[in-house]
Amino acid sequence: SSSSSSSSSTDGRQRERARVARSKMTQADVVTREATIHLIKAASKSTFKKKAPRAIREIKKFAQREMRTKDVRISPELNKFVWSQGVRNLPRRVRVRISRKRNEDEEAEEPLYTVVDYVPVASFKGLSTEKK
């Protein structure tokens, strides 16, 4: 039984280390990444009239996962692009630039926020997620 207790304490230490690493990573101020989001996958099971709003929510969720911030802002250009073919006919993919920035507003709950911008590309072939 002593071996199980020691493994749980090391497990706890690893978890704590991972948590600290994550919190330090969140503090690494301004980070920018480019990624391709498959909108069709994101909104595949949605009702016709909910596809575009669902795609916007999925883009926000993706940005939250990537940048670990609750406050995600979508640029008007990206919003226009997602809605460009109407509520139910989404563009298949979208290339986005996700930037984490410092919150200038002193009363803000979050110290950082994320901006998601639209990146126009001719073709999605051969693109990968780029960290800058």
Side-chain angles (χ1 to χ4, degrees):
S1 71
S2 65
S3 65
S4 67
S5 67
S6 68
S7 71
S8 69
S9 67
T10 55
D11 204 32
R13 265 186 253 130
Q14 282 177 332
R15 241 185 271 121
E16 178 62 21
R17 238 183 261 128
R19 190 186 63 73
V20 168
R22 266 199 305 273
S23 69
K24 278 183 184 169
M25 200 164 88
T26 305
Q27 295 314 313
D29 267 8
V30 180
V31 180
T32 303
R33 290 189 190 146
E34 269 190 23
T36 303
I37 302 175
H38 294 255
L39 296 179
I40 290 293
K41 272 188 198 174
S44 63
K45 297 278 191 280
S46 300
T47 313
F48 266 167
K49 294 293 184 180
K50 295 180 182 173
K51 279 190 186 285
R54 177 53 170 267
I56 295 290
R57 278 198 304 274
E58 290 295 327
I59 290 170
K60 279 190 169 183
K61 201 159 68 169
F62 177 81
Q64 279 179 356
R65 266 200 319 263
E66 283 288 306
M67 294 297 177
R68 294 190 174 90
T69 60
K70 286 214 167 57
D71 186 1
V72 175
R73 302 168 193 184
I74 300 228
S75 72
E77 294 82 28
L78 177 58
N79 193 44
K80 268 203 179 76
F81 178 74
V82 171
W83 283 87
S84 63
Q85 298 170 19
V87 70
R88 51 185 232 180
N89 299 316
L90 292 177
R92 304 230 152 226
R93 295 181 179 93
V94 62
R95 187 78 175 168
V96 293
R97 182 174 293 121
I98 307 169
S99 313
R100 186 168 58 204
K101 298 183 176 179
R102 272 246 166 256
N103 223 336
E104 299 301 321
D105 185 18
E106 292 300 319
E107 296 92 54
E109 296 158 28
E110 298 282 319
L112 301 167
Y113 69 95
T114 303
V115 176
V116 187
D117 288 315
Y118 169 59
V119 179
V121 289
S123 168
F124 292 97
K125 302 273 191 270
L127 293 175
S128 64
T129 299
E130 294 172 18
K131 297 180 181 180
K132 293 180 178 166

